[in-house]
Amino acid sequence: MRRLAVIALCGLAVTGSGCGLKAQGSVHRAGTQQTNSTPHQGAHTGSGATPSSASTPFPSPAPGVDLHSATAVADAEVTATWTVDTTLDTSWYAAELRATAYMTKSYATSIRQNPPASGPGATWMTWATHQAATAATITTEDDPGGPTDTTTSAYRKVLATVTPHGTGGWTEPPEVWATFVVLTRSAQGAPWQVSTTETTR
């Protein structure tokens, strides 16, 4: 996220474009243009999204996430975005919807109102054949060129190392994706929420 409103879903075969992750590619979230086709692109092009996603209740944050820590919230959002189980989910969009638990209402609403327009993609289908689920290792990294945090805004660069694991020991090499996360809160002491994200390889 070049600090726009982009999503962190690109990496491995997310629902999108059959997945050939594009180096240096970036993925933008709902309402913003997407540049380069990356796996997650499918996240908004894949369809396993149900038409009723915009009206279903918003998910709750995972237990134990410190909502008063910008880093913890950024890490949780990226983790949710990259964690899928092809035996339970129909596309990467399911992960996007779970990640809305950490977003501002406006950002979450934009994701929910803009479900994928196409299928989940070749990579997803390959993973599904192997009943794969992802394991995501998250690391927060300093971003020397990024903006400085304020009382009500924070900026984080989160690296996700994503590896699919399937039945019978099947796996594929891990891929690393960097997500730039912008967080906001209404006042000092209020919980942080993700307002925009952008992911690049």
Side-chain angles (χ1 to χ4, degrees), residues 97-174:
L97 292 177
R98 288 190 290 270
T100 62
Y102 306 98
M103 299 176 188
T104 60
K105 185 173 182 180
S106 61
Y107 193 24
T109 297
S110 72
I111 298 297
R112 291 155 63 90
Q113 292 181 342
N114 291 277
S118 64
T123 299
W124 180 275
M125 299 309 291
T126 297
W127 289 8
T129 297
H130 294 282
Q131 299 183 343
T134 57
T137 300
I138 303 299
T139 304
T140 302
E141 187 177 89
D142 288 336
D143 186 9
T148 301
D149 289 357
T150 68
T151 300
T152 57
S153 62
Y155 308 86
R156 298 290 183 270
K157 178 181 179 181
V158 183
L159 300 181
T161 300
V162 187
T163 308
H165 296 282
T167 56
W170 180 90
T171 188
E172 286 191 341

Side-chain angles (χ1 to χ4, degrees), residues 7-9 14-15 29-30 40 42-44 46-62 76-84 88-105 107-116:
I7 187 163
L9 299 133
V14 184
T15 65
R29 280 223 207 216
H40 251 312
H44 262 132
S47 185
T50 58
S52 60
S53 61
S55 61
T56 56
F58 282 88
S60 298
E77 194 275 347
V78 174
T79 297
T81 294
W82 286 107
T83 303
V84 296
L88 301 173
D89 301 321
T90 55
S91 76
W92 279 93
Y93 186 60
E96 284 195 76
L97 292 177
R98 288 190 290 270
T100 62
Y102 306 98
M103 299 176 188
T104 60
K105 185 173 182 180
Y107 193 24
T109 297
S110 72
I111 298 297
R112 291 155 63 90
Q113 292 181 342
N114 291 277

